[in-house]
Amino acid sequence: METCALVYFIGVLGIHLQELAYWTPYAFTLAPSALIWIGRLILLEYAFLLQAYSYLKMPWPARIQYLD
């Protein structure tokens, strides 16, 4: 079975540090939802980029450089 580092990371986020128990679902859902939201923002930034990020290690081209 394949393992995913993100699943393990979310599992670690679910542990309450002072009580050494899992968070209740009501209190814990903010962590995965924040990760999903940031992932969406990164994906949209990559898909609809107006200007190229040339200073990154692997530069992202602007959207006008992609074919339709």
Side-chain angles (χ1 to χ4, degrees):
M1 176 170 24
E2 276 189 46
T3 59
C4 180
L6 186 60
V7 173
Y8 288 124
F9 179 69
I10 291 176
V12 170
L13 283 179
I15 298 173
H16 193 280
L17 294 177
Q18 284 78 22
E19 298 176 8
L20 293 178
Y22 284 110
W23 286 95
T24 60
Y26 178 77
F28 176 65
T29 53
L30 291 176
S33 64
L35 288 173
I36 291 169
W37 184 257
I38 296 298
R40 286 180 185 169
L41 287 177
I42 291 173
L43 179 71
L44 287 174
E45 181 71 20
Y46 182 74
F48 299 116
L49 194 59
L50 293 176
Q51 296 177 351
Y53 286 140
S54 59
Y55 53 85
L56 295 176
K57 193 178 231 181
M58 291 177 41
W60 285 1
R63 67 178 174 187
I64 59 172
Q65 294 175 347
Y66 291 109
L67 299 174
D68 286 342

